[in-house]
């Protein structure tokens, strides 16, 4: 103690020339957990103060766990250890490649521990001692059992898990028991959040005792990324999957194609991307997609590809006449766009051309070649502009020749018939690979209104994705008719809102920006309750936040998705009855974890608020 | 080449695809561009000669090519010649004092050309053969003449330049003449925009002829970054300065400290950052500052330090009592914050404690040394909360003891006394030579107070109220020099979610680039006073307050909106944003190539289909 005081005096005397050494001194600040909050205190002489990270993972009823588990008891004690000291015993009673996936998930878990180091880079972290012998000795042992499942995520997969952490002398054991691989990997995420970097000893701290029993509130917990308005590289999609994995989201909905561009390279239909990609470097090869599918699965995530039709097609479909197939799409890039579509550029399928179905069938079959297994496929199906079809000679003549009238309803009927044909083409593509027909997903549209849904959309075959506002009577109707739905109401879950306009000036159509609080507060059960007096727990499969990318590309995807995607994650996993206010401290810390994982998430408060809990209130 | 049946070609390519995924895309793109009515039009490449690549079209099509900010006058050729970056040479005639700066700026220019290569990474790039002999033998000779020896930027620096590009046979000659180094480096920026990557040949191309005469409309063209609400690494500051350089902005206003944190490590007062920094990694060391001053200068930029006082202090000032200096700041982190300040955490200097002036004197002395030479100093000076002082025992007893009274005017009086004292301390720190000071608009600059408290020969006022505020007319009519940062257009943090409470933040909605571009200080002055007051308006500045951003997303908040600001301040166009749109969209791509994660403002389809994303 005396030596230390002498050292301090020495430093203070020398400080004009040793300014940076000054910071080798212990910080003047430390933290204490008081009433479930980390309180910053002057460290003068008090020995029981914690570092900020240690306080964060031990203070409050659930430490800094995100999303909040169904039940959790988190101890107050921590032990220091090095992430290299990790052992595991895996008991795998599951089929498929579950056991191989689990091995991979354990490696990812270990990497995520290394990522807590502030100087982690390219897969490794510079752990430098000297360490206390007890730190060096301490070991984390994983004891994981998965009881069943086949390694494929479906809407019936049991994603629950049990996690028990206990410490005896120099070994902390984490016992994980889960019905499937997916529950087990969620448990590893939770376990990784019971650890943190220890700021003053260059090691990790780990909670010594914890019990967690956890399962998701919703089966479908999604994020949508649109890769057509702007191209999003494979690396950025990987990063998006990392963020989703850390938040226990389980569905990446890829809106792969639209009128703007067609980035998906189909070996059997190379013209699609050749004509439709923004450039030769803005394409996804089949290998890219297969890689992403596996990258996602080992992180507990399914890919849902969307090939939007019969509207939202255009670039990539221009080669029909040249190949003797006629116009596959009409109104492509037609002007003035306001008359033929909702945003430039326009384009819709040519319903009058039977070759369109031949090509579409081929697209679906290529999709199956790439993805091999799909439990959900998204047909798109929104924003058909009747005026496009009504002003296209070829279509009008065909309608007349086939004795259809030219009323709106007649066009809706043809759209409905198109949808049924598309579904059969997809079912055929699945069958030819020996697979079951996937569940179809489709956006709310004119086809889901006025009772048309009952005529054209079989409720056992389709899930309806709601993108209107949360108080839209269409929701009531769909729920009462017995449709399964996924919520993406744009007034809370469209992540592109609030920027400047991209046509004209002012702000974009769905402004203002949806803060994380609005994302968090948006509860599908509550919306259903308000509209119908019933929560419709069985019909509501879950929710999804959508990032339409008119105004986003690789450079800024992360900040648009995160940490708001994490707010979504807790709504869909925990479905809390409490408000955003009680989640704030954990979210602020989880955002720091996302950064550790290499995600350039937006900051939502000054760092001062991270260090001074509950003082940034209104 | 003879006509190959298309179906056969496709079959061949499908076969190739089995061996190599991207073989298909090694074919010439089915698309090309031609220039029609100053727009690049995308067309199918059906063997018709005359279609260019997109970059080539962007370089030659518009009346101002894709130059950003638009020069005052530019005559540009419509043809390009291809060359390799290794073929560029420099001749220069300059006063000896500026030669090292010019060499460094030229090196940056060459590096920026390398960054046009899509595979550029970490300072390295490989330009791949084969090239046409006419390409590999083409020379680009840059000749630079600088007339004056000045090496530091001031408000009087002549930043103008002339740039002439001529091509004869195998040589393109670029002649740059500028009064100062600063004009010359701007010319190199312009030159870099007359050059682009050729997408199918893996070399560069330059317009064969050009004559540009250019000078800025405003001498002060700034961007503010707050490093106190959240910390930004030196690398993030460098990146910001790089992007400013690409836009000919010339002032990086560094709001270093605030009540939230004190990241500046002062050798003479290490306790400031020791107590006030967020962590021992979130610190600017003296050498970092010296480095950044130089880094900015060679990019044509002054680093303007702000030391905000007497409000907006707190973190970093807690050690006074321990060192026997008494309470230096009052209301630090005081609760409930709403009563004592505009946002958490609170804090104001303790005017009753004369020791604050000793500490401030050290701070100013060291800052002026680190930022040397300073030609402007920002005192902050906004948002003093009288209730903080008026509810602090030590302050009220002092006010009473001095017989000042306790009414608002008494406090404003003491605030202005404080301001005059710190002005003298800064002058003293600057070797007795006065430095023009900048102050935010505040209660001290309000009608009836401003000329009582602030001398218009000593202070420049930075306006952050709305562009309709009557205060602007008052300041201009009283002959204050001003800088515009009206928050309704030039606060770049607006439009996020709230960070206290829910809903959206105080100055929502988000100001799109169109609004940033159209915000004209002269037009605002004209509307309020019927005169543009061109001699009093030094320029403008967009501010990024960082409650809700750190280095992960700072680029997207600043860019490309900072570029829209830059054209307003450099060119001061009489035209609106519509005429700037295609150039800005392309300039955003250039920023991305320079490593700036700028926001995308339209689908890429709009970049490839000019004029079709309209309303």
């Amino acid at each position: 103690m005396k030596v230390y005081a002498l050292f301090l005096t020495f430093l203070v005397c020398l400080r004009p020339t040793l300014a940076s050494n000054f910071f080798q001194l212990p910080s003047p600040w430390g933290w204490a957990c008081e009433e479930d909050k980390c309180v910053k205190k002057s460290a003068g002489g008090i020995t029981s103060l914690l570092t900020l990270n240690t306080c964060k993972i031990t203070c409050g009823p659930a430490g800094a766990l995100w999303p909040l588990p169904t039940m959790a008891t988190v101890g107050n004690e921590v032990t220091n250890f090095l992430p290299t000291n990790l052992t595991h015993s895996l008991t795998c009673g599951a089929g498929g490649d579950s056991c191989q996936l689990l091995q991979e998930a354990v490696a990812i878990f270990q990497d995520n521990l290394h990522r807590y180091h502030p100087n982690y880079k390219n897969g490794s972290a510079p752990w430098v001692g000297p360490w206390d012998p007890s730190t060096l000795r301490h070991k984390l042992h994983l004891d994981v059992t998965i009881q069943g499942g086949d390694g494929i995520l479906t809407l019936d997969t049991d994603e629950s898990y049990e996690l028990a952490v206990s410490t005896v002398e120099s070994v902390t054991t984490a016992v994980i028991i889960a019905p499937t691989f997916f529950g087990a990997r969620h448990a590893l995420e939770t376990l990784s959040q019971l650890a943190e970097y220890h700021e003053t000893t260059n090691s990790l701290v780990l909670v010594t005792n914890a019990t967690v029993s956890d399962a998701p509130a919703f089966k479908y917990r999604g994020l949508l990324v649109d890769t057509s308005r702007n191209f999003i590289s494979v690396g950025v999609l990987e990063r998006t999957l990392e963020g989703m994995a850390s938040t226990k989201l389980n569905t990446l909905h890829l809106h792969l194609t639209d009128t703007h561009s067609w980035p998906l390279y189909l070996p059997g239909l190379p013209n699609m991307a050749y004509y439709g990609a923004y450039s030769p470097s803005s394409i996804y090869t089949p290998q890219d997609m297969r890689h992403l599918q596996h990258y996602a699965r080992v992180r507990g995530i399914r890919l849902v590809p969307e090939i939007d039709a019969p509207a939202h097609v255009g670039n990539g479909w221009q080669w029909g006449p040249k190949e003797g197939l006629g116009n596959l799409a009409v109104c492509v890039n037609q002007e003035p766009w306001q008359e033929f579509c909702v945003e430039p550029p326009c384009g819709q399928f040519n319903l009058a051309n039977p070759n369109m179905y031949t090509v579409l069938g081929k697209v679906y079959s290529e999709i199956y070649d790439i993805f091999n297994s799909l439990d959900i496929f998204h047909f798109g199906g929104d924003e058909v502009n009747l005026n496009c079809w009504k002003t296209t000679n070829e279509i009008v003549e065909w309608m007349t020749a086939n004795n259809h009238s030219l009323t709106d309803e007649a066009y809706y009927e043809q759209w409905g018939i198109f949808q049924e044909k598309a579904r059969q083409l997809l079912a055929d593509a699945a069958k030819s690979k020996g697979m079951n027909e996937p569940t179809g997903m489709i956006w709310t549209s004119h086809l889901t209104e006025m009772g048309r849904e009952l005529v054209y959309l079989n409720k056992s075959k389709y899930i309806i994705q709601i993108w209107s506002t949360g108080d839209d009577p269409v929701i009531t109707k769909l729920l009462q008719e017995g449709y399964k739905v996924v919520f993406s109401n744009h007034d809370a879950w469209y992540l592109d809102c609030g920027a400047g306009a991209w046509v004209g000036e002012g702000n974009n159509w769905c402004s203002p920006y949806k803060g994380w609080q609005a994302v968090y507060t948006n509860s599908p059960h509550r919306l259903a309750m308000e509209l119908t007096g019933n929560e419709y727990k069985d019909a509501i499969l879950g929710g999804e936040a959508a990032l339409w990318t008119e105004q986003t590309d690789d450079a800024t995807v992360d900040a648009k998705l995160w940490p708001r995607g994490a707010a979504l994650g807790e709504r869909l996993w925990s479905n809390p009855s409490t408000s955003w206010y009680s989640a704030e401290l954990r979210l602020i810390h989880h955002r720091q974890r996302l950064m550790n994982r290499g995600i350039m998430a937006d900051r939502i408060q000054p760092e001062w608020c991270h260090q001074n809990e509950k003082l940034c209130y209104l | 080449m003879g006509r190959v049946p298309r179906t056969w070609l496709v079959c061949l390519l499908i076969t190739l695809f089995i061996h190599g995924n991207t073989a298909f895309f090694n074919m010439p793109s089915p698309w090309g561009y031609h220039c029609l009515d100053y727009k690049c039009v995308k067309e199918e490449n059906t063997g018709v000669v005359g279609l260019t690549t997109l970059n080539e079209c962007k370089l030659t099509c518009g009346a101002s090519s894709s130059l950003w900010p638009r020069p005052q006058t530019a005559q540009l050729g419509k043809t390009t010649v291809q060359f390799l970056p290794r073929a560029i040479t420099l001749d220069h005639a300059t006063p000896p004092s500026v030669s090292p700066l010019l060499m460094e700026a030229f090196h940056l220019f060459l590096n920026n050309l390398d960054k046009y290569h899509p595979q550029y990474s970490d300072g390295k790039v490989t330009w791949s053969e084969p090239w046409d002999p006419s390409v590999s033998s083409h020379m680009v000779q840059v000749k630079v003449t600088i007339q004056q020896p000045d090496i530091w930027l001031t408000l009087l620096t002549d930043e103008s330049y002339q740039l002439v590009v001529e091509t004869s046979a195998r040589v393109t000659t670029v002649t740059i003449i500028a009064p100062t180094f600063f004009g010359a480096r701007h010319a190199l920026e312009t030159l870099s925009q007359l050059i682009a990557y050729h997408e199918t040949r893996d070399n560069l191309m330059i317009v064969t002829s050009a004559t540009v005469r250019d000078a800025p409309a405003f001498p002060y063209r700034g961007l503010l970054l707050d490093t106190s609400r959240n910390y930004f690494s030196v690398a993030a500051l460098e990146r910001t300065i790089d992007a400013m350089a690409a836009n000919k902005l010339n002032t990086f206003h560094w709001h270093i400290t605030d009540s939230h944190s004190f990241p500046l490590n002062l050798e003479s007062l290490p306790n400031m950052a020791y107590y006030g920094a967020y962590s021992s990694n979130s610190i600017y060391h003296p050498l970092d500052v010296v480095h950044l001053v130089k880094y900015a200068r060679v990019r044509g930029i002054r680093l303007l330090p702000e030391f905000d006082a007497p409000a907006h202090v707190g973190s970093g000032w807690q050690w006074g009592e321990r060192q026997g200096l008494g309470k230096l700041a009052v209301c630090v982190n005081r609760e409930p914050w709403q009563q004592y300040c505009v946002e958490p955490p609170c804090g104001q200097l303790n005017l009753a404690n004369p020791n604050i002036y000793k500490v401030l004197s050290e701070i100013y002395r060291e800052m002026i040394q680190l930022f040397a030479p300073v030609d402007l100093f920002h005192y902050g000076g906004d948002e003093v909360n009288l209730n903080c002082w008026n509810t602090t025992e030590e302050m009220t007893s002092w006010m009473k003891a001095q017989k000042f009274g306790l009414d608002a005017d008494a406090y404003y009086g003491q605030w202005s006394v404080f301001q005059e004292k710190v002005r003298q301390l800064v002058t003293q720190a600057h070797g007795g030579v006065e430095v023009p000071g900048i102050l935010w608009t505040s209660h001290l600059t309000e009608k009836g107070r401003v000329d009582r408290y602030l001398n218009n020969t000593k202070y420049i006022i930075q306006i952050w109220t709305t562009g309709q505020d009557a205060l602007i007319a008052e300041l201009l009519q009283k002959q204050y020099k001003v800088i515009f940062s009206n928050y309704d257009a030039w606060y770049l943090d607006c439009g996020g979610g709230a960070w206290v409470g829910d809903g959206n933040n105080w100055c929502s909605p988000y100001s799109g680039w169109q609004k940033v571009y159209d915000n004209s200080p002269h037009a605002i002055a004209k509307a309020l006073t019927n005169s543009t007051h061109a001699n009093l308006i030094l320029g403008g500045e967009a501010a990024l307050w960082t409650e809700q951003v750190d280095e992960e997303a700072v680029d997207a908040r600043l860019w490309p909106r900072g570029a829209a600001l830059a054209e307003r301040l450099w060119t001061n166009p009489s035209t609106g944003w519509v005429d700037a749109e295609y150039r800005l969209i392309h300039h955003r791509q250039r920023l991305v190539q320079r490593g700036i994660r700028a926001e995308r403002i339209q689908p890429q389809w709009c970049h490839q289909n000019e004029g079709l994303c309209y309303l």
Side-chain angles (χ1 to χ4, degrees), chain A residues 15-17 19-20 22-23 25-29 42 229-230 260 265 267 270-271 273-275 278 280 283 285-287 315 318 322-323 333 335-338 344-345 498-505 507 512-513 515 517 550-553 555-556 559-560 580 584 591 595 599-609 611 615-618, chain B residues 6-7 10 14 17 21 24-25 27-31 44 229-231 260 265 267 270-271 273-275 278 280 282-283 285 315 318 322-323 333 335-338 344-345 495-502 504 509-510 512 514 518 547-550 552-553 556-557 577 581 588 597-606 608 612-615:
Chain A
R15 72 193 180 192
T17 47
S20 61
F22 203 72
F23 294 93
L25 281 167
S27 165
W29 307 110
S42 179
R229 271 59 179 251
N230 279 302
H260 300 70
Y265 183 84
N271 272 324
Y274 184 56
Y275 280 83
Y278 280 130
I283 58 165
T285 63
Q287 289 91 325
N315 289 287
Q318 301 102 323
K322 217 163 280 134
E323 301 280 337
N333 301 350
E335 292 290 331
W337 64 265
Q338 287 95 332
W502 66 273
V503 287
E505 56 190 322
N507 291 88
Y513 180 87
Q517 302 95 326
E550 281 86 351
Q551 295 171 280
T552 306
D553 65 9
T556 62
K560 293 261 170 67
W580 63 266
E584 189 176 18
R591 184 267 177 182
M595 280 174 51
I599 294 150
M600 292 178 283
D602 222 343
R603 182 119 208 172
I604 54 182
Q605 290 186 334
E607 189 171 350
W608 190 85
C609 309
Q611 296 189 356
L615 292 182
C616 295
Y617 59 88
L618 191 65
Chain B
R6 193 163 280 270
T7 41
V10 170
I14 292 168
F17 186 77
N21 247 319
F24 196 81
F25 291 95
M27 289 189 66
S29 165
W31 307 110
E44 188 161 359
R229 270 59 178 249
N230 279 302
Y231 176 78
H260 300 70
N265 179 18
E267 301 251 359
N271 271 323
Y274 184 55
Y275 280 85
Y278 282 131
S280 55
S282 304
I283 281 176
H285 293 290
S315 296
Q318 301 101 324
R322 210 166 280 126
Q323 303 277 346
N333 301 354
E335 294 290 331
W337 65 265
Q338 287 95 333
W499 67 272
V500 287
D502 54 9
N504 290 88
Y510 181 87
Q514 302 94 326
D518 283 347
E547 281 86 353
Q548 294 170 282
V549 63
D550 65 11
E552 303 300 321
R557 297 281 209 291
W577 63 267
E581 190 176 13
R588 182 267 177 184
R597 292 189 293 261
E599 191 87 271
R600 183 118 209 172
I601 53 182
Q602 290 186 336
Q604 190 170 347
W605 189 84
C606 308
Q608 295 187 355
L612 295 182
C613 293
Y614 58 89
L615 191 65

Side-chain angles (χ1 to χ4, degrees), chain B residues 392-544:
Chain B
T392 300
E393 231 276 31
E394 196 178 340
M395 280 289 300
T396 51
S397 342
W398 174 73
M399 290 291 279
K400 281 188 226 154
Q402 304 285 319
K403 307 209 164 14
F404 295 140
L406 294 173
D407 57 10
D409 269 339
Y411 282 107
Y412 289 134
Q414 288 315 301
W415 174 7
S416 74
V417 169
F418 166 85
Q419 184 54 47
E420 176 56 17
K421 282 191 185 171
V422 296
R423 195 188 65 77
Q424 287 172 13
L425 290 177
V426 166
T427 307
Q428 207 176 54
H430 196 242
V433 181
E434 287 190 351
V435 184
I438 307 180
L439 275 171
W440 294 106
T441 47
S442 70
H443 287 301
L444 220 54
T445 65
E446 272 173 14
K447 204 177 172 95
R449 277 194 208 116
V450 63
D451 41 348
R452 183 141 46 105
Y453 297 132
L454 302 170
N455 184 325
N456 65 8
T457 66
K458 301 192 188 300
Y459 290 104
I460 296 161
I461 310 294
Q462 185 167 9
I463 296 158
W464 69 276
T465 54
T466 67
Q468 289 89 50
D469 191 350
L471 175 63
I472 299 172
E474 163 105 355
L475 292 170
L476 291 171
Q477 277 150 4
K478 290 188 170 156
Q479 300 298 304
Y480 283 88
K481 290 204 170 57
V482 299
I483 293 163
F484 274 74
S485 296
N486 49 307
Y487 77 76
D488 49 349
W490 284 355
Y491 267 26
L492 302 182
D493 51 317
C494 303
W499 67 272
V500 287
D502 54 9
N504 290 88
N505 65 14
W506 73 276
C507 56
S508 285
Y510 181 87
S511 294
W513 76 269
Q514 302 94 326
K515 195 190 247 185
V516 172
Y517 189 92
D518 283 347
N519 190 60
S520 158
H522 287 172
I524 290 171
K526 181 91 175 168
L528 289 167
T529 68
N530 214 21
S531 157
T532 59
H533 285 287
N535 58 326
L536 292 176
I537 301 175
L538 299 178
E541 179 170 288
L544 182 57

